């Protein structure tokens, strides 16, 4: 299982629950989709901020498995925004050697969106400098259940012994096993919950919740989250380096 970055003052992997687009729009008497549009600008700002600061992994919770329950118009609008974002962002990804990655049930997405996602993920496949990971039709429980099913199939086929199933093996069956666990999970708009995001991978993540609504979350707010992260002492269940037990990291 990828180790979290124990002693870094800067996170290797930041994951964000981008919440509050609807409220931002409602406060202005605008349709919800306008909030998502403004939120796309925050996405661009945060991608840029990660790039400038050398943060290698950025995961964005762009669409959850539960989001399909929203009105058809809003879902369609979000899918269009995603396609537009990919087209706008592609040049940036190439210019800065950033690889686009996906986690979630891609099979649920409309054909046009899948085509565009396939195209950009393939075109950026060889890049290593940064990883932009979009969680699309993503649910943490679905990810874990899917891994469990695939492991059960391997056991049934005689390729795997039940005794070999431990944390390290289990994590190899998740959507993107090579990506290190997030060091920092940011949630905007004040809600104190994970909402089915990266349930396995968040075990030791530092959580940062800000009341700022996602469309208002720009470079300055991101910087504040990073500052707060750099002040946290991460112990991973041990006693922590300052108490003389750095080997207790587990
Ligand atoms: C939550 O706000 C946000 C979403 C469900 C979608 C996030 C999408 C974007 C930021 C834009 C498109 C994404 C990319 C990657 C270009 P909400 O609608 O639940 O807000 P509310 O809780 O205030 O109603």
């Amino acid at each position: 299982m990828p180790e979290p970055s124990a002693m870094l003052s800067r996170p290797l992997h930041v994951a964000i629950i981008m919440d509050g687009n609807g409220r931002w729009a409602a406060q202005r008497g605008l349709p919800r989709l306008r909030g998502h549009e403004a939120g796309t600008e925050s996405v661009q700002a945060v991608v840029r901020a990660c790039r400038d600061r050398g943060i290698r992994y950025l995961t964005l919770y762009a669409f959850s498995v539960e989001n399909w329950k929203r009105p058809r118009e809003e879902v369609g609008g979000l899918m269009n925004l995603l396609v537009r974002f990919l087209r706008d962002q592609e040049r940036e990804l190439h210019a800065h050697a950033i690889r686009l990655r996906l986690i979630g049930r891609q099979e649920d997405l409309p054909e046009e969106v899948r085509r565009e996602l396939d195209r950009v993920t393939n075109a950026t496949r060889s890049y290593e400098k940064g990883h932009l990971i979009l969680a699309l039709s993503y649910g943490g429980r679905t990810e874990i259940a899917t891994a469990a099913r695939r492991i059960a199939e391997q056991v049934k086929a005689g390729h795997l012994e039940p005794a070999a199933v431990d944390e390290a093996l289990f994590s190899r069956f998740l959507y993107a096993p090579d990506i290190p666990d997030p060091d920092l999970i940011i949630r905007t708009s004040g809600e104190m919950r994970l909402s089915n995001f990266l349930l396995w991978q968040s075990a030791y993540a530092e959580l940062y919740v800000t009341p700022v609504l996602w469309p208002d979350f720009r470079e300055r707010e991101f910087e504040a989250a990073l500052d707060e992260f750099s002040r946290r002492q991460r112990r991973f269940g041990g006693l922590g380096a300052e108490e003389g037990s750095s080997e207790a990291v587990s």
Side-chain angles (χ1 to χ4, degrees):
M1 181 170 24
E3 281 290 325
S5 46
M7 291 304 160
L8 294 180
S9 59
R10 184 182 62 193
L12 177 63
H13 182 177
V14 177
I16 308 184
I17 302 171
M18 310 181 286
D19 196 13
N21 295 349
R23 271 162 283 176
W24 184 93
Q27 283 171 4
R28 289 160 179 76
L30 296 169
R32 291 178 59 81
L33 214 45
R34 291 289 297 280
H36 296 314
E37 270 170 25
T40 306
E41 288 175 40
S42 298
V43 170
Q44 284 163 343
V46 169
V47 171
R48 234 178 1 251
C50 284
R51 191 189 76 203
D52 294 346
R53 286 163 182 74
I55 293 169
R56 283 193 66 197
Y57 298 89
L58 172 66
T59 300
L60 300 173
Y61 203 4
F63 197 87
S64 74
V65 275
E66 290 81 16
N67 287 153
W68 295 111
K69 289 186 261 179
R70 294 193 176 199
R72 223 170 54 173
E73 202 177 284
E74 183 173 346
V75 170
L78 277 167
M79 294 297 143
N80 289 339
L81 271 182
L82 184 60
V83 170
R84 208 189 311 158
F85 167 79
L86 290 172
R87 290 180 185 153
D88 288 350
Q89 201 65 25
E90 195 179 351
R91 193 152 19 124
E92 288 284 298
L93 298 178
H94 286 297
H96 299 281
I98 298 171
R99 179 175 172 189
L100 180 75
R101 314 275 306 261
L102 306 169
I103 53 173
R105 290 178 44 87
Q106 262 75 77
E107 62 272 33
D108 294 343
L109 299 167
E111 186 58 38
E112 192 207 349
V113 178
R114 282 169 68 175
R115 231 188 354 258
E116 200 64 17
L117 287 166
D118 281 351
R119 195 179 61 70
V120 182
T121 47
N122 282 325
T124 59
R125 185 171 291 278
S126 61
Y127 297 147
E128 280 292 326
K129 205 156 174 205
H131 298 246
L132 170 61
I133 304 127
L134 297 184
L136 289 169
S137 196
Y138 176 85
R141 287 183 173 179
T142 302
E143 178 177 29
I144 292 169
T146 305
R149 189 171 59 243
R150 290 176 52 212
I151 291 169
E153 284 162 3
Q154 294 288 310
V155 170
K156 192 177 174 196
H159 301 319
L160 198 60
E161 285 295 323
V165 181
D166 58 11
E167 289 180 28
L169 180 130
F170 196 94
S171 63
R172 287 207 293 276
F173 285 81
L174 297 171
Y175 289 134
D178 61 303
I179 295 176
D181 288 345
D183 304 293
L184 171 63
I185 295 182
I186 298 172
R187 180 167 188 147
T188 58
S189 93
E191 248 80 61
M192 304 273 186
R193 51 177 177 264
L194 281 175
S195 298
N196 206 10
F197 186 46
L198 301 179
L199 294 183
W200 176 280
Q201 300 88 339
S202 62
Y204 289 102
E206 292 295 321
L207 305 180
Y208 177 87
V209 177
T210 169
V212 173
L213 304 177
W214 177 249
D216 291 326
F217 189 94
R218 299 290 163 97
E219 191 172 355
R220 207 157 53 106
E221 286 72 27
F222 189 60
E223 192 64 54
L226 295 180
D227 281 352
E228 164 77 24
F229 176 84
S230 70
R231 287 192 294 271
R232 303 257 180 107
Q233 194 202 353
R234 305 181 74 197
R235 297 208 299 257
F236 303 100
L239 297 178
E242 282 170 20
E243 290 147 85
S245 61
S246 55
E247 76 279 9
V249 170
S250 57

